[in-house]
Amino acid sequence: MEYVEPVEDNCLLENITNVFGQPSIKMHDAVRDMALSITSMNPRYIVQAGLQLKELPKRGQWSPDIEKVWLMYNSITEFPADVLPTKCQLLTTLLLRGNPVKEIPYSLFMNIPCLSVLNLSFTKIESLPNSISELKNLTTLLLHGCEELRDLPCLSMLQELKKLDPFGTKIKEVPEGMDMLIKLRYLDLEVFTLKEIPAGLLPKLVHLQHLSFDVQNEKISLKVEEMEPLKKLECLTGRFKDVSEFNKFISSMQQSKKNLIKYNLVVGESYIFTTGDKRLTIGGVHNSEGDLIMHPIEIKELNIYKCDYLRSLVDENSSFKNAIDLRVCRIWFCEGIECVVSLSSFASSSAHPFQSLEALGLRFLPKLSALIMKDAGFGSATTSTLAPFATFSHLKKIYVQRCSSMKTLLPQWLLPNLQNLKEISVESCDEIVEILGAATSEVEEKGSDALIKFHLPKLRVLTLFFLPNLKSICIKSGVMVCDSLEDINVSNGCDKLKRIPPFVPLVGNGQPFAYAPPFLTIRSSTKWWESLEWDDHPNFKNVLRFNPC
């Protein structure tokens, strides 16, 4: 990248999306023409990428001095004998990515003995010839996305190989001779059809920096004794069978003071497809509440799935209270969860859980009744103001679906923590009555007619879908302070919602009941819009923009 970026900055290369929908780099046509002109006098390269070629370059173009061949993203399907190159002793790079090639002839590799980089990714090959063993200098073998590839020949002779990527192939066995590839730095075995990892293989690959397996493949699970010798490991994708094995791995990492730069780790099952640099998914685990689930340091994404034993994600015994770098959290299908954070976690630790959290997704949690709750208050929403200000202070998006015990989404006492919140989406929560709720004591203290302000200065989108008992966005005496609000989307099944709360501008002393955020649009059915009640503030309707949908 240190060489590419200056060239990009000078507009000689440009970022594009290739035919596979992946980010790529394109050379400017003028630059390409100039490069080809310079090399035409003594051609050492064949550069014919993305030209929709159906055939290989003619045999006469494969001179003995050829060093690099780029033929990516063409329509080449075969290697006819009369076109194949003769001895190309200097050829080091052959890139055939994205061609519908079905077969590699045996003689090809015999004629290019000095090849070091071979890219056959996204081709239609079903196998590789045994002559690949002749490529003694091969350092990079890319087979990414070769969905027709069923097996690989013995690789024991490729002892200079540093990168092997058969991601997405259909191989069932680890290639024979893999234990001889002691110089491997990068190994991507994200292959759903793979049956096993041979015992004793990984400890021999002590130089591995990148190692990945398909986390959806339940036949493949990582074992600590196999992983411990990999002292240089920086990037890891894989699945641990249970919490015990996972805890051993994290403990081993902590003892060796080794941190992974990038990881996607699964404990148990994984049905959540995610993307991110440092993520952990725990699925279908049935531990007792006393068992500690350790977490990797600097975790940024956490997914909890079908862990019915949990009552809260963060309490005084949970290690997740120290996950201060967490950015994304999803909790799905956990029947025991009653709150996300228990206040006991604050009393036993100086750490502020979820202080960096930006997105929170809560789905199919039938007992969930609050985000933060006192231990003694399980089953009913707390009005405590003891939550540290840092908790949820970076939250931008909250998505709640089918949480049938929740009646109030966000109590007013929590709103000071949510000043960065941009999007709220609530769907199919049968018991929810209000989105923003004020404490009963505050209503009594100020009186039922006094204005109670709900400050969400960065809120942009509020989406409400199928909430049959929702009566209000906030209490009748409440006003919203959020000039940034752009969309209120009210979809089917919100028939009891009869009012839009009035707004107060962030600055100035304008009258709240004839004011609306400048970019706000209400989106819903015409029938719902016409059913709204405006008796208390008849002029309010006139400042709102409605878009039937």
Side-chain angles (χ1 to χ4, degrees), residues 1-255:
M1 288 300 295
E2 62 181 306
Y3 301 107
V4 172
E5 288 177 358
V7 183
E8 284 185 272
D9 292 341
N10 287 282
C11 301
L12 300 179
L13 293 177
E14 57 180 319
N15 290 309
I16 63 168
T17 300
N18 64 27
V19 295
F20 298 101
Q22 299 173 328
S24 187
I25 294 175
K26 179 183 178 181
M27 181 180 289
H28 192 281
D29 290 346
V31 178
R32 180 178 180 274
D33 291 343
M34 180 184 68
L36 291 175
S37 175
I38 292 172
T39 60
S40 63
M41 293 178 288
N42 184 21
R44 293 180 296 160
Y45 311 105
I46 296 178
V47 183
Q48 297 183 11
L51 301 180
Q52 298 301 311
L53 300 179
K54 296 183 178 181
E55 298 178 347
L56 284 173
K58 300 302 181 182
R59 187 165 185 164
Q61 294 180 254
W62 297 82
S63 72
D65 295 329
I66 287 290
E67 295 180 12
K68 302 179 188 296
V69 176
W70 288 277
L71 296 172
M72 306 90 74
Y73 309 118
N74 283 300
S75 301
I76 300 168
T77 58
E78 58 183 353
F79 291 78
D82 60 340
V83 177
L84 284 178
T86 55
K87 283 284 186 179
C88 294
Q89 295 284 356
L90 300 181
L91 186 63
T92 61
T93 302
L94 177 58
L95 309 183
L96 293 168
R97 177 187 174 107
N99 282 280
V101 177
K102 296 182 179 180
E103 184 179 359
I104 303 297
Y106 185 92
S107 60
L108 176 63
F109 296 146
M110 302 293 290
N111 291 327
I112 49 176
C114 292
L115 196 69
S116 62
V117 177
L118 176 60
N119 189 343
L120 296 169
S121 298
F122 297 103
T123 58
K124 302 292 185 181
I125 59 170
E126 298 178 0
S127 63
L128 287 176
N130 290 330
S131 59
I132 197 170
S133 296
E134 299 296 323
L135 304 180
K136 302 294 194 301
N137 296 304
L138 195 65
T139 62
T140 302
L141 177 56
L142 305 179
L143 304 164
H144 194 104
C146 294
E147 297 180 352
E148 306 300 321
L149 186 60
R150 296 296 193 270
D151 61 79
L152 289 171
C154 178
L155 302 180
S156 62
M157 302 300 290
L158 306 182
Q159 295 187 22
E160 294 299 316
L161 201 62
K162 295 180 180 178
K163 182 170 184 177
L164 176 60
D165 180 4
F167 174 99
T169 63
K170 296 293 192 301
I171 63 173
K172 296 181 180 180
E173 309 287 346
V174 169
E176 185 182 348
M178 276 278 295
D179 56 338
M180 301 293 289
L181 307 182
I182 59 175
K183 292 186 179 181
L184 269 183
R185 304 287 194 274
Y186 183 108
L187 177 59
D188 191 333
L189 281 171
E190 289 198 46
V191 178
F192 185 75
T193 53
L194 196 64
K195 292 181 178 179
E196 64 175 350
I197 310 171
L201 171 62
L202 295 181
K204 294 180 180 179
L205 307 179
V206 294
H207 294 292
L208 277 179
Q209 296 172 318
H210 177 111
L211 175 64
S212 55
F213 296 96
D214 191 334
V215 296
Q216 309 292 326
N217 185 353
E218 296 187 6
K219 299 184 185 73
I220 305 297
S221 58
L222 301 174
K223 296 180 173 56
V224 174
E225 60 269 20
E226 297 275 308
M227 302 293 296
E228 282 182 334
L230 306 182
K231 304 298 184 184
K232 297 182 180 181
L233 200 62
E234 298 178 349
C235 303
L236 176 63
T237 295
R239 187 183 72 89
F240 293 88
K241 186 177 180 180
D242 53 43
V243 171
S244 175
E245 197 69 21
F246 173 71
N247 282 345
K248 290 177 187 177
F249 173 73
I250 298 300
S251 178
S252 173
M253 294 287 289
Q254 292 173 343
Q255 288 176 13

Side-chain angles (χ1 to χ4, degrees), residues 490-515:
V490 182
S491 300
N492 296 332
C494 298
D495 297 339
K496 291 185 180 180
L497 182 62
K498 296 297 183 182
R499 62 185 296 272
I500 300 294
F503 297 88
V504 173
L506 285 173
V507 294
N509 298 313
Q511 293 297 315
F513 305 130
Y515 172 81

Side-chain angles (χ1 to χ4, degrees), residues 412 438-439 441-454 474-479 499 502 504 512-513 537:
Q412 189 192 28
S441 58
E442 184 176 2
V443 176
E444 292 174 349
E445 178 184 341
K446 294 185 176 182
S448 59
D449 295 329
L451 291 181
I452 297 177
K453 295 182 179 180
F454 294 86
C474 64
I475 62 172
K476 190 173 183 179
S477 58
V479 293
R499 62 185 296 272
V504 173
F513 305 130
H537 316 295

